[in-house]
Amino acid sequence: GRRGGASTITMQLTRILHPEWKKYPVLIRKGLEISNAIQIEFWLDKEEILESYINLVPIHSNAKGFPLASLRY
């Protein structure tokens, strides 16, 4: 079956920021995610990365981020 779960929060944030990368083959996409994640880690500290992820992650019914989800639910 399919395997997953090897992405860091920074890589997941990268995936959220660049949904157009889904069209690329897995190895190319992972390479892009890793290189972009390294750039993000260089510019932001862990708290800023987590805050960005929490504010952008899709939650039930496509609510973008915890702040919007908390208002919706």
Side-chain angles (χ1 to χ4, degrees):
R2 291 181 62 193
R3 292 193 175 191
S7 298
T8 65
I9 295 289
T10 311
M11 289 173 66
Q12 292 177 39
L13 176 60
T14 296
R15 196 174 306 129
I16 292 168
L17 294 172
H18 299 283
E20 70 276 6
W21 289 352
K22 286 183 180 182
K23 66 182 177 185
Y24 297 120
V26 174
L27 290 177
I28 293 172
R29 187 175 66 237
K30 284 292 183 183
L32 290 169
E33 288 174 11
I34 290 168
S35 66
N36 193 254
I38 290 169
Q39 291 174 352
I40 290 172
E41 297 252 349
F42 181 76
W43 291 106
L44 301 175
D45 63 30
K46 295 292 184 185
E47 288 180 8
E48 292 170 320
I49 293 169
L50 183 58
E51 181 181 349
S52 297
Y53 177 78
I54 287 172
N55 287 329
L56 294 172
V57 67
I59 301 173
H60 184 60
S61 299
N62 291 327
K64 291 282 186 178
F66 282 74
L68 180 59
S70 68
L71 293 174
R72 184 176 290 177
Y73 303 110

